[in-house]
Amino acid sequence: MSEPALQEPTFIDALVEAFYAKVRRHPRIGPVFNGQIAEDAWPHHMATLKDFWATVLQGSGRYKGSPMAVHQRIEGFQEWMFTPWLNLFHATCVELFDAPRAAIIGEKAERIARSLKLGLFFRPGAPA
């Protein structure tokens, strides 16, 4: 069940817009995202991201896609990118929310990142 404080209707928009503005400007991960999503496709992509985060944080059920499948198709996506992604996410949460809410949201992002990282990059028995 989601926290009552996470049910405010505008907080998802603020989070997604502020966070992905940072991602797009980041010198190392920005080019990967910007290379996959055409400038005129960003509004649609942002709507999808808002649906995703509303589903994760509010249990809205609006997102029906597969994050794993989407990330498997990203050309140039590498495991190291999770670190700056999470750093930007946590920084955005601290800027926008009080400490308890930032911690709740940040922990959900950490779990998503761990799951994606395992699904995309963990290969048992593969040489290190």
Side-chain angles (χ1 to χ4, degrees):
M1 195 77 185
S2 61
E3 289 285 319
L6 300 180
Q7 294 302 318
E8 297 169 22
T10 59
F11 107 90
I12 295 289
D13 289 350
L15 172 64
V16 171
E17 290 167 14
F19 171 62
Y20 281 96
K22 288 181 174 104
V23 167
R24 293 181 71 192
R25 289 190 307 265
H26 190 276
R28 296 189 68 206
I29 63 175
V32 174
F33 282 85
N34 292 321
Q36 292 295 305
I37 303 161
E39 187 63 36
D40 63 349
W42 271 100
H44 175 62
H45 187 62
M46 292 294 284
T48 300
L49 292 167
K50 289 174 184 180
D51 288 348
F52 173 79
W53 285 106
T55 297
V56 168
L57 298 172
Q58 298 175 325
S60 74
R62 291 181 353 210
Y63 181 76
K64 304 294 185 202
S66 170
M68 192 70 66
V70 169
H71 287 82
Q72 285 174 325
R73 294 189 303 261
I74 299 174
E75 187 176 325
F77 190 70
Q78 298 176 30
E79 187 173 1
W80 65 265
M81 294 176 175
F82 285 100
T83 299
W85 187 93
L86 283 168
N87 290 340
L88 292 173
F89 194 89
H90 287 298
T92 305
C93 287
V94 168
E95 290 169 10
L96 295 176
F97 310 118
D98 59 31
R101 190 168 12 179
I104 291 166
I105 298 166
E107 178 52 36
K108 290 183 184 284
E110 291 281 345
R111 280 187 265 156
I112 290 165
R114 277 193 300 275
S115 176
L116 285 172
K117 192 185 294 190
L118 283 171
L120 295 170
F121 300 105
F122 180 68
R123 301 292 174 255

